């Protein structure tokens, strides 16, 4: 048998015993995004999977696959005919949660909405918000700079993305931001799935009310009015009210639930690497590239899901029709087949082929805005607080599922 | 050098124009590559920047075409 070409040699690192010993579970056959061990060994697990496990399976709930290499993720993300978004992006989706457009739809419905929404978040449009975002960065820093310390997440990172999006794009009041941030966070990470549904329902209710109110107001020609105007689908029907509400919910989820993690992680990295602070302070023109590298290495979206519309083979594994498949963007961004030393942070990399903002037609619509927020944050922070460190005796805390989030980061200077 | 920008694969990451603004232009309207579906010239002096832009495109939407 040994010369039979179909026998693949067993890799001692990926046997169930070796995996259980190292990661606490057989992550090839029984992965769990919500396992606290994944949260703790986040980098090690991603680096390992992208090298050794192109496809892994989970038995949790209704079960799901993860596909992990950059080539497979790109091919699947671009092939929406086989990997459909119409059945949702969350593994073990809470019952009764309405689908979120545009994320949980396929072309051509998806295309109609993106065509209308894109101009509101294009590079040209978000460039006009840059000064306002910069002013907000400084206003937040003013609140704590003289104190010589801050809890970065609650006092800055969880606020700036909401301020930037609500004030400039949605025209929503920022007073209710804390409630929405909490609703999205609990809706994503709560260990009890029915609790997730309850928190999401709260966010839906709030945003639907806002949309109803705006429908009674004169048009401002903004993103909300574009949503209210709706689109015509290819079959001639007009987009229903529920689709409009879900667009606003999806945008709000994206707008407040992700950028914080890149911000917090970048600031944490700089707090713990004085040479990197000096590098960026000495040459601020590196900051834009640094943000790409931080986004690559600190992905708030671990992966988002698709449902297969036919049997399909991915790196030698056959995935049946109707299976839930996660495109692990976080692994794809560390693929050693596409970059040198992916497990190292190097802000001078030339050309950073990362997948943090997704791939394919669902490419993050907020990516241009997120980049403005991140650039303004690092530029202003390093000017005003060039020396800072993690508060002695503390460490940042994290929570991970299909998203990753930083809960606390204590800083002092 | 000539490069082709795939009409369907381009999904508006804007990386190409960030690293090679003299070569790649984004549409003012939606921010996708303005030359989607086209083959364009890359001046010799811009080849290095263009290569970084091409490499940074998460969609692999830009390919060098043989002359
Ligand atoms: C660093 C920050 C962010 C990251 C890493 C991120 C990541 C992603 C990813 C990976 C996707 C792809 C979804 C898929 O493949 O199904 C996505 C889609 C999306 N994001 Fe973001 N996002 C960020 C910030 C934002 C912001 C600021 C907004 C809103 C202003 C936003 C709104 C959306 C929306 C609406 C979609 C769905 C697009 C579609 O399906 O066509 N995101 N995001
Ligand atoms: S980087 Fe790629 S996907 Fe993005 S605009 Fe340029 S060609 Fe299109």
């Amino acid at each position: 048998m040994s010369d039979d070409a179909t026998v693949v040699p067993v890799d001692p690192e990926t046997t169930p015993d070796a995996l259980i010993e190292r990661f606490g579970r057989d992550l090839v056959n029984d992965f769990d995004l919500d396992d606290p061990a994944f949260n703790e060994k986040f980098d090690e697990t991603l680096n390992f999977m992208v090298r050794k496990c192109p496809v892994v399976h989970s038995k949790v709930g209704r079960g799901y696959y993860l596909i992990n290499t950059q080539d497979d993720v790109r091919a699947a993300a671009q092939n929406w005919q086989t990997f459909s978004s119409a059945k949702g992006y969350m593994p073990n989706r809470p019952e009764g949660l309405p689908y979120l457009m545009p994320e949980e739809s396929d072309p051509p419905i998806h295309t109609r909405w993106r065509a209308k929404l894109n101009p509101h978040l294009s590079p040209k449009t978000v460039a006009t918000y840059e000064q306002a975002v910069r002013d907000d960065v400084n206003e937040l820093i003013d609140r704590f700079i003289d104190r010589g310390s801050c809890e970065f997440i609650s006092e800055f990172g969880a606020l700036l993305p909401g301020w930037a999006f609500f004030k400039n794009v949605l025209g929503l009041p920022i007073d209710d931001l804390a409630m929405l941030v909490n609703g999205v966070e609990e809706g994503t990470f709560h260990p009890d799935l029915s609790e997730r549904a309850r928190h999401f329902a709260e966010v839906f209710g709030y945003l639907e009310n806002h949309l109803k109110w705006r429908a009674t107001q004169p048009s401002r020609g903004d993103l909300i009015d574009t949503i209210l105007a709706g689109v015509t689908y290819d079959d001639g029907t007009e987009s229903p009210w529920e689709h409009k509400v879900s667009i606003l919910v999806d945008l709000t989820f994206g707008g407040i639930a992700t950028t914080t993690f890149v911000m917090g992680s970048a600031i944490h990295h700089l707090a713990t690497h004085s040479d990197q602070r000096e590098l960026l302070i000495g040459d601020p023109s590196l900051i834009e590239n640094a943000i790409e590298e931080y986004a690559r290495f600190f992905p708030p979206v671990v992966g988002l899901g698709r449902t297969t519309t036919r049997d399909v083979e991915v790196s030698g594994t056959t995935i049946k029709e109707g299976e839930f498949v996660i495109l692990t963007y976080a692994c794809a961004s560390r693929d050693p087949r596409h970059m040198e030393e992916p497990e190292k942070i190097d802000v001078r990399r030339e050309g950073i082929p990362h997948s943090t903002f997704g791939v394919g037609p669902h490419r993050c619509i907020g990516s241009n805005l997120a980049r403005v927020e991140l650039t303004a944050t690092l530029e202003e922070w390093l000017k005003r607080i060039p020396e800072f460190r993690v508060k002695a005796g503390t460490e940042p805390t994290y929570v991970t599922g299909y998203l990753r989030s930083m809960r606390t980061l204590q800083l002092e200077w | 050098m000539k490069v082709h920008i795939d009409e369907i694969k381009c999904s508006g990451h804007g990386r190409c124009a960030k690293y090679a603004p003299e070569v790649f232009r984004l549409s003012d309207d939606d921010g996708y590559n303005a030359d989607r579906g086209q083959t364009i010239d890359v001046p010799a002096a811009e080849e290095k920047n263009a290569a970084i832009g091409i490499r940074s495109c998460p969609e692999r939407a830009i390919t060098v075409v043989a002359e």
Side-chain angles (χ1 to χ4, degrees):
Chain A
M1 283 295 282
S2 63
D3 58 2
D4 183 337
T6 62
V7 174
V8 183
V10 175
D11 182 337
E13 280 194 274
T14 57
T15 61
D17 287 347
L19 291 170
I20 289 165
E21 164 95 25
R22 180 159 171 194
F23 296 102
R25 67 192 300 137
D26 175 0
L27 46 83
V28 172
N29 299 299
D30 189 18
F31 190 75
D32 181 5
L33 285 161
D34 295 319
D35 186 336
F38 180 46
N39 183 46
E40 273 148 43
K41 296 193 169 186
F42 185 70
D43 290 304
E44 184 182 350
T45 311
L46 294 180
N47 293 335
F48 182 83
M49 287 203 300
V50 70
R51 282 186 170 75
K52 301 271 184 173
C53 324
V55 180
V56 308
H57 187 248
S58 172
K59 297 192 176 92
V60 175
R62 298 186 287 278
Y64 53 86
Y65 289 89
L66 266 70
I67 66 181
N68 298 328
T69 73
Q70 189 175 112
D71 287 340
D72 286 343
V73 166
R74 185 185 311 108
Q78 292 180 340
N79 182 1
W80 56 267
Q81 292 91 340
T82 302
F83 295 89
S84 165
S85 293
K87 295 267 174 68
Y89 66 73
M90 302 170 201
N92 295 310
R93 190 185 179 77
E95 299 263 341
L97 180 65
Y99 288 114
L100 301 178
M101 310 259 158
E103 211 157 343
E104 303 186 310
S105 67
D106 292 326
I109 290 182
H110 176 260
T111 323
R112 297 294 157 265
W113 275 113
R114 283 295 295 249
K116 291 275 193 235
L117 298 172
N118 281 332
H120 291 284
L121 289 159
S122 70
K124 196 172 174 212
T125 304
V126 300
T128 64
Y129 308 143
E130 203 203 302
Q131 190 55 50
V133 174
R134 217 170 266 282
D135 292 346
D136 283 347
V137 168
N138 280 306
E139 187 180 331
L140 288 170
I141 293 176
D142 285 342
R143 293 179 176 182
F144 50 67
I145 187 165
D146 292 337
R147 195 198 310 153
S149 70
C150 75
E151 195 288 287
F152 182 82
I153 301 302
S154 58
E155 296 190 86
F156 188 100
L159 298 179
L160 188 74
W163 285 25
F165 192 49
F166 285 12
K167 289 187 183 182
N168 299 296
V169 188
L170 290 185
L172 271 171
I174 54 171
D175 316 342
D176 300 322
L177 186 62
M179 182 273 288
L180 291 170
V181 169
N182 182 58
V184 173
E185 185 94 352
E186 293 292 338
T188 306
F189 296 111
H190 202 289
D192 180 345
L193 286 179
S194 64
E195 280 295 302
R196 290 188 191 179
R198 193 177 67 75
H199 283 285
F200 278 145
E202 222 173 83
V203 176
F204 259 86
Y206 174 89
L207 292 170
E208 175 162 17
N209 278 340
H210 183 74
L211 209 55
K212 276 190 188 145
W213 175 74
R214 280 293 304 271
T216 68
Q217 301 293 305
S219 168
R220 301 180 194 170
D222 64 1
L223 177 58
I224 299 268
D225 284 318
T226 293
I227 297 172
L228 285 168
V231 299
T232 309
Y233 295 143
D234 282 20
D235 62 3
T237 61
E238 296 296 317
S239 48
W241 174 254
E242 310 81 75
H243 287 187
K244 296 176 186 176
V245 176
S246 81
I247 294 270
L248 182 57
V249 173
D250 197 27
L251 281 164
T252 305
F253 279 11
I256 64 180
T258 47
T259 320
T260 307
F261 178 69
V262 184
M263 241 170 231
S265 302
I267 289 288
H268 177 241
H269 181 70
L270 290 167
T272 48
H273 295 80
S274 58
D275 60 322
Q276 295 296 306
R277 284 202 302 275
E278 278 156 30
L279 186 66
L280 297 187
I281 291 166
D283 182 0
S285 76
L286 282 173
I287 287 179
E288 277 193 323
N289 207 55
I291 283 163
E292 295 306 307
E293 179 68 349
Y294 297 143
R296 179 186 77 79
F297 199 82
F298 303 116
V301 177
V302 176
L304 291 172
R306 303 289 189 263
T307 301
T308 47
T309 58
R310 60 177 178 85
D311 294 1
V312 58
E313 195 186 302
V314 180
S315 283
T317 300
T318 301
I319 300 178
K320 293 268 183 221
E321 177 183 342
E323 294 284 354
F324 195 80
V325 178
I326 292 187
L327 315 180
T328 320
Y329 294 130
C331 276
S333 295
R334 299 172 175 230
D335 193 328
R337 301 160 194 90
H338 291 281
M339 64 201 85
E340 275 165 37
E341 301 194 281
E343 55 294 295
K344 293 222 172 92
I345 297 176
D346 175 5
V347 302
R348 293 172 182 274
R349 275 179 207 279
E350 286 199 335
I352 303 180
H354 71 75
S355 316
T356 292
F357 290 110
V359 184
H362 294 275
R363 183 269 307 167
C364 177
I365 197 169
S367 56
N368 304 308
L369 181 62
R371 286 179 167 114
V372 165
E373 293 167 21
L374 291 164
T375 310
T377 295
L378 288 197
E379 286 180 358
E380 299 304 313
W381 187 284
L382 289 174
K383 262 188 247 162
R384 300 194 60 193
I385 314 180
E387 277 296 319
F388 57 104
R389 60 193 173 273
V390 175
K391 191 174 171 203
T394 73
E395 268 189 47
T397 53
Y398 301 90
V399 57
T400 307
Y402 60 90
L403 301 185
R404 183 160 166 86
S405 164
M406 192 185 271
R407 287 260 159 105
T408 55
L409 171 60
Q410 302 281 352
L411 298 174
E412 56 186 21
W413 49 87
Chain B
M1 177 170 94
K2 284 190 193 308
V3 296
H4 181 78
I5 299 116
D6 189 290
E7 177 156 19
I8 294 175
K9 286 185 181 167
C10 171
S11 65
H13 292 267
R15 300 298 82 207
C16 51
K18 186 82 225 164
Y19 292 102
E22 302 294 321
V23 179
F24 301 114
R25 301 172 304 129
L26 301 182
S27 140
D28 279 348
D29 179 37
D30 63 11
Y32 289 47
N33 191 306
D35 296 304
R36 285 204 285 168
Q38 314 275 320
T39 298
I40 60 169
D41 265 319
V42 179
E46 287 294 325
E47 282 186 12
K48 184 166 183 266
N49 289 336
I52 299 175
I54 292 170
R55 196 175 137 62
S56 301
C57 172
E59 309 288 347
R60 291 273 186 279
I62 310 173
T63 45
V64 177
V65 292
E67 308 238 354

